[in-house]
Amino acid sequence: MNRTSNTVIGFLNILTLISSIVIIGSALWMGRSKTTCEHFLQKPLLVLGLAILVLSLAGLIGACCDVAWVLWVYLFFMVFIIIALLGLTLFGFIVTNHGGGVGVTGRVYKEFKLEEYHPWLKTRVMNANYWLTIKTCLLGSLTCSKLSFWTPIDYLQKDLTPLQSGCCKPPTSCVYNTETPIQQESDCYRWNNAATVLCYDCDSCRAGVLETVRRDWHKLSIVNVVIVLFLITIYSVGCCAFKNAKRPQQYGFPYGRYGMSKSRPGWDQSWSRWWHGRDRY
C-alpha cells in the first residue's frame, strides 16, 4: 500500500509525458502551417510542452526509483509551473474578454473592428515590422483564394472566417462607383481589387487576425484550467511519493516486499512477521 502513490504518480506522469509531446507537436505545426499566420501562441505552447516533458521524466525517475532528491526537485518546480499557468490563464481570460465581432444585416458572417480588442493585442498588430510578417504569410496562404470564385449570392448565404471577413473584402458598409464622394471609413479607401493588395493593410484585417488569436487563446485558457487541476492532483500524489521515498532513508529500514516502510511497525506488519515466522526487521 505504501508504494501505491509511487505507482499512481508514475502512471500519471506517463499521461503527462504523452500530453507534452502532443503540445510540442501542436506548437511546431503552428509554426509551419500555411493556413494560419498568427504565432502568438506558438512560443507559450512550446515552453509549456518542454516544461511538462522535463517534469514528467523527473517524476517518473523519482517515483519508479524512489529517488527522494529527484522528487523534491520535481515538486519544487511543479509549484512554479502551476503558478505560471494560473497567471497565464488569468491573463488569457482578461485579454480574450474583448472583441467577438459584429453581425452584418442580411449576412451570415461577422465583421470585426480593431478598436474592440484589448490594447495589448492591438499594440502587437500595429507594429509595422510584425504586421509585415503576418501580411507576407497571408499572401502566401490560401486565405483569400477560395473567395475568388464566389458570386454575390455566396456572400449573402455563406459564412466567412475572421481572416476572410477582414482581409479578403472591403467592409460591407463601403460604397463604390458613386458620382458624389461620401465620407466613409478609412478601410474603404485602403481596399484594392488586386490579389496582392485586397484589404491586407486594413484595420479590419488586423482585427480579423486578433479575432483568430482571441478564439485560439480562449480555447487554450480553458485547456489550461484542466491542466492546472490535473497538475495539482499530481502534486498531491507526488508529496505522498516523496514521503515514501524519504522514509527508508531517514530511519534506515529496508524498503520493499519484506521491508518495513514505517518508522514504527504497525499491527499489520507485526502480525505478518508472526504469521510468516520472521523475527527480523
PDB file of all heavy atoms in Angstrom, residues 205-234:
ATOM      1  N   CYS A 205      -8.493  43.832 -41.313  1.00  0.00           N
ATOM      2  CA  CYS A 205      -7.651  42.638 -41.450  1.00  0.00           C
ATOM      3  C   CYS A 205      -6.902  42.384 -40.153  1.00  0.00           C
ATOM      4  O   CYS A 205      -6.786  41.238 -39.695  1.00  0.00           O
ATOM      5  CB  CYS A 205      -6.684  42.816 -42.621  1.00  0.00           C
ATOM      6  SG  CYS A 205      -5.734  41.330 -43.024  1.00  0.00           S
ATOM      7  N   ARG A 206      -6.384  43.441 -39.558  1.00  0.00           N
ATOM      8  CA  ARG A 206      -5.717  43.298 -38.258  1.00  0.00           C
ATOM      9  C   ARG A 206      -6.698  42.767 -37.212  1.00  0.00           C
ATOM     10  O   ARG A 206      -6.350  41.928 -36.380  1.00  0.00           O
ATOM     11  CB  ARG A 206      -5.147  44.646 -37.825  1.00  0.00           C
ATOM     12  CG  ARG A 206      -3.963  45.122 -38.667  1.00  0.00           C
ATOM     13  CD  ARG A 206      -3.464  46.484 -38.177  1.00  0.00           C
ATOM     14  NE  ARG A 206      -2.210  46.873 -38.806  1.00  0.00           N
ATOM     15  CZ  ARG A 206      -2.114  47.489 -39.973  1.00  0.00           C
ATOM     16  NH1 ARG A 206      -3.228  47.816 -40.636  1.00  0.00           N
ATOM     17  NH2 ARG A 206      -0.937  47.800 -40.479  1.00  0.00           N
ATOM     18  N   ALA A 207      -7.928  43.265 -37.269  1.00  0.00           N
ATOM     19  CA  ALA A 207      -8.950  42.785 -36.335  1.00  0.00           C
ATOM     20  C   ALA A 207      -9.272  41.315 -36.589  1.00  0.00           C
ATOM     21  O   ALA A 207      -9.517  40.558 -35.641  1.00  0.00           O
ATOM     22  CB  ALA A 207     -10.214  43.633 -36.464  1.00  0.00           C
ATOM     23  N   GLY A 208      -9.261  40.908 -37.849  1.00  0.00           N
ATOM     24  CA  GLY A 208      -9.504  39.502 -38.165  1.00  0.00           C
ATOM     25  C   GLY A 208      -8.427  38.599 -37.601  1.00  0.00           C
ATOM     26  O   GLY A 208      -8.707  37.493 -37.101  1.00  0.00           O
ATOM     27  N   VAL A 209      -7.177  39.051 -37.669  1.00  0.00           N
ATOM     28  CA  VAL A 209      -6.076  38.297 -37.076  1.00  0.00           C
ATOM     29  C   VAL A 209      -6.255  38.202 -35.560  1.00  0.00           C
ATOM     30  O   VAL A 209      -6.085  37.128 -34.960  1.00  0.00           O
ATOM     31  CB  VAL A 209      -4.718  38.951 -37.420  1.00  0.00           C
ATOM     32  CG1 VAL A 209      -3.591  38.298 -36.643  1.00  0.00           C
ATOM     33  CG2 VAL A 209      -4.449  38.850 -38.920  1.00  0.00           C
ATOM     34  N   LEU A 210      -6.603  39.320 -34.926  1.00  0.00           N
ATOM     35  CA  LEU A 210      -6.785  39.328 -33.474  1.00  0.00           C
ATOM     36  C   LEU A 210      -7.967  38.461 -33.045  1.00  0.00           C
ATOM     37  O   LEU A 210      -7.926  37.837 -31.980  1.00  0.00           O
ATOM     38  CB  LEU A 210      -6.978  40.759 -32.970  1.00  0.00           C
ATOM     39  CG  LEU A 210      -5.770  41.684 -33.102  1.00  0.00           C
ATOM     40  CD1 LEU A 210      -6.057  43.031 -32.449  1.00  0.00           C
ATOM     41  CD2 LEU A 210      -4.524  41.055 -32.481  1.00  0.00           C
ATOM     42  N   GLU A 211      -9.006  38.416 -33.869  1.00  0.00           N
ATOM     43  CA  GLU A 211     -10.145  37.562 -33.531  1.00  0.00           C
ATOM     44  C   GLU A 211      -9.742  36.097 -33.572  1.00  0.00           C
ATOM     45  O   GLU A 211     -10.166  35.290 -32.726  1.00  0.00           O
ATOM     46  CB  GLU A 211     -11.292  37.818 -34.502  1.00  0.00           C
ATOM     47  CG  GLU A 211     -12.521  36.943 -34.278  1.00  0.00           C
ATOM     48  CD  GLU A 211     -13.151  37.141 -32.912  1.00  0.00           C
ATOM     49  OE1 GLU A 211     -12.948  38.208 -32.301  1.00  0.00           O
ATOM     50  OE2 GLU A 211     -13.866  36.225 -32.451  1.00  0.00           O
ATOM     51  N   THR A 212      -8.905  35.735 -34.552  1.00  0.00           N
ATOM     52  CA  THR A 212      -8.397  34.364 -34.622  1.00  0.00           C
ATOM     53  C   THR A 212      -7.566  34.042 -33.385  1.00  0.00           C
ATOM     54  O   THR A 212      -7.691  32.966 -32.792  1.00  0.00           O
ATOM     55  CB  THR A 212      -7.548  34.173 -35.891  1.00  0.00           C
ATOM     56  OG1 THR A 212      -8.322  34.525 -37.042  1.00  0.00           O
ATOM     57  CG2 THR A 212      -7.092  32.726 -36.026  1.00  0.00           C
ATOM     58  N   VAL A 213      -6.710  34.999 -32.994  1.00  0.00           N
ATOM     59  CA  VAL A 213      -5.901  34.826 -31.783  1.00  0.00           C
ATOM     60  C   VAL A 213      -6.796  34.713 -30.560  1.00  0.00           C
ATOM     61  O   VAL A 213      -6.573  33.872 -29.678  1.00  0.00           O
ATOM     62  CB  VAL A 213      -4.916  36.002 -31.625  1.00  0.00           C
ATOM     63  CG1 VAL A 213      -4.195  35.930 -30.288  1.00  0.00           C
ATOM     64  CG2 VAL A 213      -3.903  36.011 -32.768  1.00  0.00           C
ATOM     65  N   ARG A 214      -7.809  35.566 -30.496  1.00  0.00           N
ATOM     66  CA  ARG A 214      -8.705  35.575 -29.340  1.00  0.00           C
ATOM     67  C   ARG A 214      -9.407  34.235 -29.166  1.00  0.00           C
ATOM     68  O   ARG A 214      -9.494  33.693 -28.053  1.00  0.00           O
ATOM     69  CB  ARG A 214      -9.753  36.680 -29.516  1.00  0.00           C
ATOM     70  CG  ARG A 214     -10.602  36.944 -28.280  1.00  0.00           C
ATOM     71  CD  ARG A 214     -11.786  37.839 -28.608  1.00  0.00           C
ATOM     72  NE  ARG A 214     -12.797  37.116 -29.365  1.00  0.00           N
ATOM     73  CZ  ARG A 214     -13.762  36.385 -28.787  1.00  0.00           C
ATOM     74  NH1 ARG A 214     -13.837  36.282 -27.475  1.00  0.00           N
ATOM     75  NH2 ARG A 214     -14.642  35.758 -29.538  1.00  0.00           N
ATOM     76  N   ARG A 215      -9.894  33.671 -30.267  1.00  0.00           N
ATOM     77  CA  ARG A 215     -10.594  32.390 -30.185  1.00  0.00           C
ATOM     78  C   ARG A 215      -9.656  31.265 -29.775  1.00  0.00           C
ATOM     79  O   ARG A 215     -10.002  30.424 -28.928  1.00  0.00           O
ATOM     80  CB  ARG A 215     -11.253  32.074 -31.537  1.00  0.00           C
ATOM     81  CG  ARG A 215     -12.375  33.042 -31.907  1.00  0.00           C
ATOM     82  CD  ARG A 215     -12.989  32.685 -33.253  1.00  0.00           C
ATOM     83  NE  ARG A 215     -14.052  33.626 -33.614  1.00  0.00           N
ATOM     84  CZ  ARG A 215     -14.795  33.520 -34.720  1.00  0.00           C
ATOM     85  NH1 ARG A 215     -14.580  32.519 -35.566  1.00  0.00           N
ATOM     86  NH2 ARG A 215     -15.733  34.407 -34.969  1.00  0.00           N
ATOM     87  N   ASP A 216      -8.461  31.244 -30.370  1.00  0.00           N
ATOM     88  CA  ASP A 216      -7.498  30.192 -30.032  1.00  0.00           C
ATOM     89  C   ASP A 216      -7.033  30.324 -28.590  1.00  0.00           C
ATOM     90  O   ASP A 216      -6.883  29.327 -27.880  1.00  0.00           O
ATOM     91  CB  ASP A 216      -6.295  30.254 -30.977  1.00  0.00           C
ATOM     92  CG  ASP A 216      -6.648  29.846 -32.396  1.00  0.00           C
ATOM     93  OD1 ASP A 216      -7.713  29.229 -32.582  1.00  0.00           O
ATOM     94  OD2 ASP A 216      -5.862  30.149 -33.321  1.00  0.00           O
ATOM     95  N   TRP A 217      -6.776  31.556 -28.166  1.00  0.00           N
ATOM     96  CA  TRP A 217      -6.293  31.774 -26.806  1.00  0.00           C
ATOM     97  C   TRP A 217      -7.368  31.443 -25.777  1.00  0.00           C
ATOM     98  O   TRP A 217      -7.081  30.946 -24.683  1.00  0.00           O
ATOM     99  CB  TRP A 217      -5.826  33.214 -26.641  1.00  0.00           C
ATOM    100  CG  TRP A 217      -4.811  33.388 -25.552  1.00  0.00           C
ATOM    101  CD1 TRP A 217      -4.602  32.574 -24.481  1.00  0.00           C
ATOM    102  CD2 TRP A 217      -3.852  34.444 -25.436  1.00  0.00           C
ATOM    103  NE1 TRP A 217      -3.588  33.051 -23.701  1.00  0.00           N
ATOM    104  CE2 TRP A 217      -3.104  34.197 -24.258  1.00  0.00           C
ATOM    105  CE3 TRP A 217      -3.564  35.574 -26.205  1.00  0.00           C
ATOM    106  CZ2 TRP A 217      -2.090  35.049 -23.836  1.00  0.00           C
ATOM    107  CZ3 TRP A 217      -2.548  36.404 -25.775  1.00  0.00           C
ATOM    108  CH2 TRP A 217      -1.820  36.146 -24.616  1.00  0.00           C
ATOM    109  N   HIS A 218      -8.614  31.728 -26.120  1.00  0.00           N
ATOM    110  CA  HIS A 218      -9.708  31.387 -25.212  1.00  0.00           C
ATOM    111  C   HIS A 218      -9.792  29.872 -25.026  1.00  0.00           C
ATOM    112  O   HIS A 218      -9.981  29.384 -23.904  1.00  0.00           O
ATOM    113  CB  HIS A 218     -11.026  31.928 -25.766  1.00  0.00           C
ATOM    114  CG  HIS A 218     -12.191  31.745 -24.843  1.00  0.00           C
ATOM    115  ND1 HIS A 218     -12.345  32.465 -23.684  1.00  0.00           N
ATOM    116  CD2 HIS A 218     -13.262  30.912 -24.904  1.00  0.00           C
ATOM    117  CE1 HIS A 218     -13.451  32.090 -23.060  1.00  0.00           C
ATOM    118  NE2 HIS A 218     -14.021  31.145 -23.784  1.00  0.00           N
ATOM    119  N   LYS A 219      -9.633  29.131 -26.122  1.00  0.00           N
ATOM    120  CA  LYS A 219      -9.629  27.667 -26.018  1.00  0.00           C
ATOM    121  C   LYS A 219      -8.444  27.195 -25.186  1.00  0.00           C
ATOM    122  O   LYS A 219      -8.580  26.282 -24.361  1.00  0.00           O
ATOM    123  CB  LYS A 219      -9.575  27.048 -27.416  1.00  0.00           C
ATOM    124  CG  LYS A 219     -10.805  27.322 -28.274  1.00  0.00           C
ATOM    125  CD  LYS A 219     -10.614  26.770 -29.677  1.00  0.00           C
ATOM    126  CE  LYS A 219     -11.802  27.116 -30.563  1.00  0.00           C
ATOM    127  NZ  LYS A 219     -11.598  26.631 -31.963  1.00  0.00           N
ATOM    128  N   LEU A 220      -7.278  27.818 -25.400  1.00  0.00           N
ATOM    129  CA  LEU A 220      -6.090  27.447 -24.636  1.00  0.00           C
ATOM    130  C   LEU A 220      -6.274  27.722 -23.150  1.00  0.00           C
ATOM    131  O   LEU A 220      -5.820  26.945 -22.305  1.00  0.00           O
ATOM    132  CB  LEU A 220      -4.878  28.213 -25.167  1.00  0.00           C
ATOM    133  CG  LEU A 220      -3.549  27.952 -24.451  1.00  0.00           C
ATOM    134  CD1 LEU A 220      -3.133  26.494 -24.603  1.00  0.00           C
ATOM    135  CD2 LEU A 220      -2.457  28.874 -24.990  1.00  0.00           C
ATOM    136  N   SER A 221      -6.964  28.812 -22.805  1.00  0.00           N
ATOM    137  CA  SER A 221      -7.197  29.135 -21.398  1.00  0.00           C
ATOM    138  C   SER A 221      -8.052  28.081 -20.724  1.00  0.00           C
ATOM    139  O   SER A 221      -7.818  27.714 -19.561  1.00  0.00           O
ATOM    140  CB  SER A 221      -7.858  30.518 -21.285  1.00  0.00           C
ATOM    141  OG  SER A 221      -7.012  31.526 -21.774  1.00  0.00           O
ATOM    142  N   ILE A 222      -9.046  27.581 -21.450  1.00  0.00           N
ATOM    143  CA  ILE A 222      -9.890  26.518 -20.902  1.00  0.00           C
ATOM    144  C   ILE A 222      -9.071  25.246 -20.694  1.00  0.00           C
ATOM    145  O   ILE A 222      -9.192  24.559 -19.664  1.00  0.00           O
ATOM    146  CB  ILE A 222     -11.088  26.251 -21.829  1.00  0.00           C
ATOM    147  CG1 ILE A 222     -11.983  27.502 -21.890  1.00  0.00           C
ATOM    148  CG2 ILE A 222     -11.893  25.046 -21.351  1.00  0.00           C
ATOM    149  CD1 ILE A 222     -13.140  27.385 -22.857  1.00  0.00           C
ATOM    150  N   VAL A 223      -8.217  24.930 -21.666  1.00  0.00           N
ATOM    151  CA  VAL A 223      -7.340  23.763 -21.525  1.00  0.00           C
ATOM    152  C   VAL A 223      -6.389  23.951 -20.348  1.00  0.00           C
ATOM    153  O   VAL A 223      -6.100  22.999 -19.604  1.00  0.00           O
ATOM    154  CB  VAL A 223      -6.544  23.538 -22.836  1.00  0.00           C
ATOM    155  CG1 VAL A 223      -5.511  22.433 -22.650  1.00  0.00           C
ATOM    156  CG2 VAL A 223      -7.494  23.177 -23.972  1.00  0.00           C
ATOM    157  N   ASN A 224      -5.903  25.177 -20.152  1.00  0.00           N
ATOM    158  CA  ASN A 224      -5.001  25.456 -19.039  1.00  0.00           C
ATOM    159  C   ASN A 224      -5.653  25.186 -17.688  1.00  0.00           C
ATOM    160  O   ASN A 224      -4.995  24.721 -16.749  1.00  0.00           O
ATOM    161  CB  ASN A 224      -4.518  26.911 -19.089  1.00  0.00           C
ATOM    162  CG  ASN A 224      -3.417  27.110 -20.103  1.00  0.00           C
ATOM    163  OD1 ASN A 224      -2.798  26.162 -20.566  1.00  0.00           O
ATOM    164  ND2 ASN A 224      -3.163  28.360 -20.455  1.00  0.00           N
ATOM    165  N   VAL A 225      -6.937  25.497 -17.577  1.00  0.00           N
ATOM    166  CA  VAL A 225      -7.655  25.225 -16.334  1.00  0.00           C
ATOM    167  C   VAL A 225      -7.643  23.729 -16.037  1.00  0.00           C
ATOM    168  O   VAL A 225      -7.385  23.291 -14.897  1.00  0.00           O
ATOM    169  CB  VAL A 225      -9.102  25.753 -16.421  1.00  0.00           C
ATOM    170  CG1 VAL A 225      -9.904  25.304 -15.206  1.00  0.00           C
ATOM    171  CG2 VAL A 225      -9.113  27.275 -16.527  1.00  0.00           C
ATOM    172  N   VAL A 226      -7.903  22.930 -17.069  1.00  0.00           N
ATOM    173  CA  VAL A 226      -7.885  21.465 -16.898  1.00  0.00           C
ATOM    174  C   VAL A 226      -6.488  20.989 -16.522  1.00  0.00           C
ATOM    175  O   VAL A 226      -6.319  20.142 -15.631  1.00  0.00           O
ATOM    176  CB  VAL A 226      -8.367  20.783 -18.201  1.00  0.00           C
ATOM    177  CG1 VAL A 226      -8.298  19.257 -18.058  1.00  0.00           C
ATOM    178  CG2 VAL A 226      -9.788  21.213 -18.543  1.00  0.00           C
ATOM    179  N   ILE A 227      -5.456  21.548 -17.188  1.00  0.00           N
ATOM    180  CA  ILE A 227      -4.081  21.152 -16.903  1.00  0.00           C
ATOM    181  C   ILE A 227      -3.697  21.506 -15.468  1.00  0.00           C
ATOM    182  O   ILE A 227      -3.046  20.719 -14.770  1.00  0.00           O
ATOM    183  CB  ILE A 227      -3.113  21.822 -17.897  1.00  0.00           C
ATOM    184  CG1 ILE A 227      -3.328  21.270 -19.307  1.00  0.00           C
ATOM    185  CG2 ILE A 227      -1.664  21.598 -17.481  1.00  0.00           C
ATOM    186  CD1 ILE A 227      -2.472  21.929 -20.360  1.00  0.00           C
ATOM    187  N   VAL A 228      -4.103  22.691 -15.009  1.00  0.00           N
ATOM    188  CA  VAL A 228      -3.781  23.116 -13.636  1.00  0.00           C
ATOM    189  C   VAL A 228      -4.402  22.160 -12.622  1.00  0.00           C
ATOM    190  O   VAL A 228      -3.747  21.741 -11.657  1.00  0.00           O
ATOM    191  CB  VAL A 228      -4.256  24.560 -13.394  1.00  0.00           C
ATOM    192  CG1 VAL A 228      -4.225  24.887 -11.907  1.00  0.00           C
ATOM    193  CG2 VAL A 228      -3.375  25.544 -14.151  1.00  0.00           C
ATOM    194  N   LEU A 229      -5.665  21.804 -12.806  1.00  0.00           N
ATOM    195  CA  LEU A 229      -6.326  20.863 -11.897  1.00  0.00           C
ATOM    196  C   LEU A 229      -5.619  19.515 -11.910  1.00  0.00           C
ATOM    197  O   LEU A 229      -5.443  18.876 -10.856  1.00  0.00           O
ATOM    198  CB  LEU A 229      -7.798  20.702 -12.289  1.00  0.00           C
ATOM    199  CG  LEU A 229      -8.677  21.948 -12.133  1.00  0.00           C
ATOM    200  CD1 LEU A 229     -10.088  21.668 -12.640  1.00  0.00           C
ATOM    201  CD2 LEU A 229      -8.719  22.412 -10.689  1.00  0.00           C
ATOM    202  N   PHE A 230      -5.207  19.093 -13.102  1.00  0.00           N
ATOM    203  CA  PHE A 230      -4.500  17.814 -13.230  1.00  0.00           C
ATOM    204  C   PHE A 230      -3.146  17.871 -12.528  1.00  0.00           C
ATOM    205  O   PHE A 230      -2.743  16.938 -11.829  1.00  0.00           O
ATOM    206  CB  PHE A 230      -4.336  17.485 -14.712  1.00  0.00           C
ATOM    207  CG  PHE A 230      -3.781  16.106 -14.971  1.00  0.00           C
ATOM    208  CD1 PHE A 230      -4.433  14.978 -14.503  1.00  0.00           C
ATOM    209  CD2 PHE A 230      -2.616  15.946 -15.696  1.00  0.00           C
ATOM    210  CE1 PHE A 230      -3.937  13.711 -14.742  1.00  0.00           C
ATOM    211  CE2 PHE A 230      -2.102  14.680 -15.939  1.00  0.00           C
ATOM    212  CZ  PHE A 230      -2.768  13.555 -15.457  1.00  0.00           C
ATOM    213  N   LEU A 231      -2.420  18.982 -12.690  1.00  0.00           N
ATOM    214  CA  LEU A 231      -1.110  19.125 -12.062  1.00  0.00           C
ATOM    215  C   LEU A 231      -1.224  19.199 -10.536  1.00  0.00           C
ATOM    216  O   LEU A 231      -0.357  18.698  -9.818  1.00  0.00           O
ATOM    217  CB  LEU A 231      -0.403  20.375 -12.589  1.00  0.00           C
ATOM    218  CG  LEU A 231       0.070  20.322 -14.054  1.00  0.00           C
ATOM    219  CD1 LEU A 231       0.748  21.625 -14.436  1.00  0.00           C
ATOM    220  CD2 LEU A 231       1.009  19.145 -14.284  1.00  0.00           C
ATOM    221  N   ILE A 232      -2.282  19.842 -10.046  1.00  0.00           N
ATOM    222  CA  ILE A 232      -2.489  19.893  -8.593  1.00  0.00           C
ATOM    223  C   ILE A 232      -2.710  18.482  -8.046  1.00  0.00           C
ATOM    224  O   ILE A 232      -2.209  18.132  -6.972  1.00  0.00           O
ATOM    225  CB  ILE A 232      -3.680  20.811  -8.257  1.00  0.00           C
ATOM    226  CG1 ILE A 232      -3.322  22.274  -8.561  1.00  0.00           C
ATOM    227  CG2 ILE A 232      -4.078  20.668  -6.799  1.00  0.00           C
ATOM    228  CD1 ILE A 232      -4.468  23.241  -8.362  1.00  0.00           C
ATOM    229  N   THR A 233      -3.460  17.659  -8.791  1.00  0.00           N
ATOM    230  CA  THR A 233      -3.662  16.267  -8.387  1.00  0.00           C
ATOM    231  C   THR A 233      -2.339  15.511  -8.353  1.00  0.00           C
ATOM    232  O   THR A 233      -2.040  14.780  -7.402  1.00  0.00           O
ATOM    233  CB  THR A 233      -4.637  15.575  -9.355  1.00  0.00           C
ATOM    234  OG1 THR A 233      -5.877  16.280  -9.381  1.00  0.00           O
ATOM    235  CG2 THR A 233      -4.888  14.135  -8.929  1.00  0.00           C
ATOM    236  N   ILE A 234      -1.539  15.700  -9.418  1.00  0.00           N
ATOM    237  CA  ILE A 234      -0.232  15.039  -9.467  1.00  0.00           C
ATOM    238  C   ILE A 234       0.659  15.521  -8.322  1.00  0.00           C
ATOM    239  O   ILE A 234       1.402  14.739  -7.718  1.00  0.00           O
ATOM    240  CB  ILE A 234       0.449  15.295 -10.833  1.00  0.00           C
ATOM    241  CG1 ILE A 234      -0.365  14.648 -11.952  1.00  0.00           C
ATOM    242  CG2 ILE A 234       1.869  14.755 -10.843  1.00  0.00           C
ATOM    243  CD1 ILE A 234       0.209  14.896 -13.327  1.00  0.00           C
TER     244      ILE A 234
END
